[in-house]
Amino acid sequence: MSRGFRQSQATLHTWSGLLVGWVLFIVFVTGTAAYWREAINRWAQPELPRIESPARVLRGAQALLQREAPNAASWFITVPSTRSASGSVFWVPGADAPPKPGETSALIDANGDKVVARATRGGDFFYRFHFDLHYVPYYVSRWIVGICAMVMLVAILSGIVTHKKIFRDFFTFRGRKGQRSWLDGHAAVAVLGLPFHLMITYTGLVTLMTLLMPWAAIANYTDPNSFAGFVYPQAPPVERAGRAAPLVDLATLLRDGERRLGAPVDVVSVTAPGDASARVTLSQAPRAGLSNFTPKLAYDGVTGRLLWASPRPGAAAVTAGAMIGLHSGRSADATIRWVYFLCGIGGSVMVASGLVLWIVKRREKLPDPAHPYFGFRLVERLNIGFVAGFPAAMVGFLWANRLLPLAMPARADAEVNAMFLLWGALLLHAFTRATRPAWVEQLALTAALLLALPLFDMLATGKGLPATIAAGDWTLAGVDLTLLGLGLGYAWAARSVWRHRPAQRRTRRLVPAE
């Protein structure tokens, strides 16, 4: 391979990584947190009891809906797993139903009863943010994330070409060597998680394929609904017969459906409940298999007889579903989920170290390091605000969950706003402080917020680390232990930056000619 080609790939790698690096960093960090989405949801609503039996939840939900919405056009029941925060119900009022003030949805507890808990977006916010961002229309956000993912794929492939001794460099780390140390660290985390980084970037693009490359669907499906019907097949619609009839026990259908599917069910929908033409549809949970395109079963809502099953998907649908399932990791058990999480942290470190390396490489070439040019100062300060400031803002979101009044109007939105206000303040701080103190202060702030949160949680809710360990609730205990572990990591990083003393640049002494 010619040196010129490799140099061109190095330039491509450097600039492609820099131009989208800040967006990629926040996408990687929030996507990594989203692997514990359900655990964070549980942590964010400590009022909710632990789910022990999904079937008991469903039976209680049916009784609740028969009281609250007996004449609804349809019901939708989310069947929780034992690691979920709660279940939920939603209903569409019937056309001839008398107007009834109040909500058409409710959270349900371990017995399927309506329960009131603090309003929050919990882990779902991080999941949505990593591809929908926030305060931006979703289609604009997904285009931004999709373009950045394509650039990241280019950066990964060009990085492989650039590092001709990539595997040797993986086993080499030279500490306290300035640029060399940053380059060694960047190469190490990149190579360690290289299969994951390639997989997560490519499959992330697959999840957005109908947005980024819609031409195949447009060419073959003139009606958008027909394409959706092909990818997500539905049972034929039904209309009310006008004759009252009791609804079958949904828990019985749940057992039969899970036996036929060989997997758990996560959504039960009922059309025309209480009518002779009632229809019950069970949807397999995505966590039960690799593919994100899950099958459905439809039953007669009065007799419980199976009426319809999803057709077997084609090879293209299976492939796309598996790609999306690989990206989301919903089917992963606890061990694989930890692998995803640690690789996600490695990916975040890879992006962050690449951004810092850009500064380190160019600082040594500045004619006057005390007065760098505007572009250098801009990148340097944005690095602080994103790499150190954004994780602190994420922890601020969790603190807002505990500190905001429970009865506060629009409380869930206030949590999100608090996170962005803190992030904005940290970005301003990065531009107003000297570089090294700004790094130390923001890293130390993140460490303090992480380490103090489990202690505050123990005092404020009574469900802190000692209580959850004693109860064997390792989902909630794992959240607090992870916060403590990350806090120690940030404390180490803040101490390392504080103790670091950059080497003095040697200047060549000019000898006058004789």
Side-chain angles (χ1 to χ4, degrees):
M1 188 181 300
S2 69
R3 183 175 180 179
F5 176 73
R6 184 176 287 114
Q7 183 59 45
S8 69
Q9 294 301 295
T11 303
L12 178 63
H13 177 78
T14 298
W15 288 101
S16 62
L18 175 69
L19 293 175
V20 301
W22 299 295
V23 175
L24 288 175
F25 179 76
I26 63 175
V27 167
F28 246 103
V29 172
T30 52
T32 299
Y35 287 125
W36 298 113
R37 171 185 175 185
E38 291 180 319
I40 298 174
N41 284 343
R42 279 200 61 204
W43 183 92
Q45 293 182 310
E47 301 85 2
L48 298 176
R50 187 176 178 180
I51 300 296
E52 301 286 352
S53 171
R56 187 167 75 237
V57 176
L58 179 60
R59 190 172 285 113
Q62 181 175 359
L64 170 67
L65 287 167
Q66 286 174 333
R67 292 193 307 270
E68 297 283 338
N71 299 314
S74 55
W75 298 344
F76 298 90
I77 305 171
T78 301
V79 183
S81 69
T82 54
R83 68 188 187 196
S84 300
S86 69
S88 63
V89 294
F90 171 78
W91 61 93
V92 178
D96 56 349
K100 181 180 179 182
E103 300 291 337
T104 57
S105 63
L107 289 176
I108 51 178
D109 63 13
N111 296 313
D113 298 324
K114 186 184 295 187
V115 63
V116 177
R118 67 187 66 196
T120 181
R121 297 192 185 182
D124 292 339
F125 169 72
F126 297 132
Y127 167 72
R128 299 293 305 186
F129 183 86
H130 101 278
F131 59 91
D132 274 352
L133 304 181
H134 200 67
Y135 303 128
V136 181
Y138 78 92
Y139 52 88
V140 175
S141 302
R142 294 185 186 186
W143 267 106
I144 293 172
V145 173
I147 291 170
C148 290
M150 285 188 280
V151 175
M152 181 171 182
L153 190 60
V154 171
I156 291 174
L157 296 175
S158 58
I160 293 172
V161 174
T162 300
H163 292 87
K164 59 181 178 180
K165 300 176 181 177
I166 188 169
F167 292 105
R168 191 196 71 176
D169 289 345
F170 169 65
F171 295 102
T172 303
F173 181 77
R174 287 150 284 195
R176 300 183 180 180
K177 298 291 184 182
Q179 177 183 330
R180 185 71 260 175
S181 299
W182 280 105
L183 187 58
D184 287 346
H186 181 66
V189 292
V191 177
L192 179 63
L194 182 58
F196 175 83
H197 301 149
L198 284 169
M199 180 276 291
I200 211 70
T201 306
Y202 182 76
T203 55
L205 287 168
V206 171
T207 66
L208 300 172
M209 61 182 177
T210 54
L211 174 69
L212 302 176
M213 300 178 64
W215 307 287
I218 293 173
N220 291 279
Y221 299 91
T222 54
D223 181 6
N225 292 327
S226 62
F227 175 69
F230 171 75
V231 179
Y232 303 103
Q234 303 288 337
V238 296
E239 295 183 359
R240 281 187 174 272
R243 301 188 308 275
L247 185 67
V248 67
D249 178 42
L250 296 181
T252 301
L253 292 189
L254 179 68
R255 288 193 297 271
D256 182 75
E258 291 184 340
R259 178 184 61 81
R260 293 177 184 272
L261 294 169
V265 168
D266 71 339
V267 176
V268 176
S269 61
V270 182
T271 304
D275 189 81
S277 63
R279 177 78 51 81
V280 179
T281 304
L282 308 183
S283 302
Q284 179 180 305
R287 67 179 183 276
L290 183 59
S291 176
N292 200 62
F293 300 152
T294 54
K296 297 179 176 65
L297 299 173
Y299 292 84
D300 186 299
V302 177
T303 65
R305 180 170 59 92
L306 181 67
L307 300 176
W308 176 87
S310 296
R312 185 180 296 275
V318 170
T319 302
M323 291 282 188
I324 298 171
L326 271 174
H327 185 84
S328 64
R330 290 194 181 99
S331 62
D333 59 15
T335 301
I336 300 300
R337 197 174 294 270
W338 271 109
V339 172
Y340 268 67
F341 180 71
L342 294 174
C343 287
I345 290 177
S348 303
V349 172
M350 175 188 68
V351 177
S353 61
L355 291 169
V356 174
L357 181 60
W358 191 94
I359 289 293
V360 172
K361 289 177 67 174
R362 280 151 187 80
R363 186 186 297 280
E364 298 179 354
K365 300 177 182 178
L366 290 174
D368 183 4
H371 301 88
Y373 55 91
F374 172 77
F376 182 92
R377 294 198 307 272
L378 179 64
V379 173
E380 187 176 46
R381 301 316 173 118
L382 287 175
N383 280 354
I384 299 171
F386 276 79
V387 174
F390 184 74
M394 289 177 64
V395 189
F397 172 88
L398 301 180
W399 273 98
N401 174 267
R402 290 298 191 253
L403 294 175
L404 292 175
L406 298 185
M408 181 180 184
R411 188 181 187 278
D413 291 335
E415 288 180 357
V416 177
N417 294 337
M419 169 183 151
F420 280 97
L421 285 172
L422 177 56
W423 189 22
L426 292 174
L427 281 166
L428 181 63
H429 171 268
F431 278 88
T432 54
R433 289 284 284 158
T435 304
R436 187 163 160 271
W439 274 111
V440 173
E441 290 160 7
Q442 294 203 18
L443 291 172
L445 174 64
T446 307
L449 291 173
L450 285 165
L451 292 172
L453 186 54
L455 177 62
F456 178 83
D457 190 46
M458 180 174 61
L459 299 174
T461 68
K463 289 189 176 182
L465 194 55
T468 52
I469 292 178
D473 191 348
W474 289 104
T475 298
L476 286 182
V479 174
D480 285 334
L481 289 172
T482 301
L483 292 174
L484 291 173
L486 292 173
L488 292 174
Y490 272 94
W492 172 84
R495 179 176 179 271
S496 299
V497 175
W498 176 66
R499 295 186 62 184
H500 175 68
R501 294 294 182 271
Q504 296 296 324
R505 187 165 62 170
R506 295 179 180 179
T507 57
R508 181 175 295 179
R509 182 178 177 183
L510 297 178
V511 180
E514 295 183 1

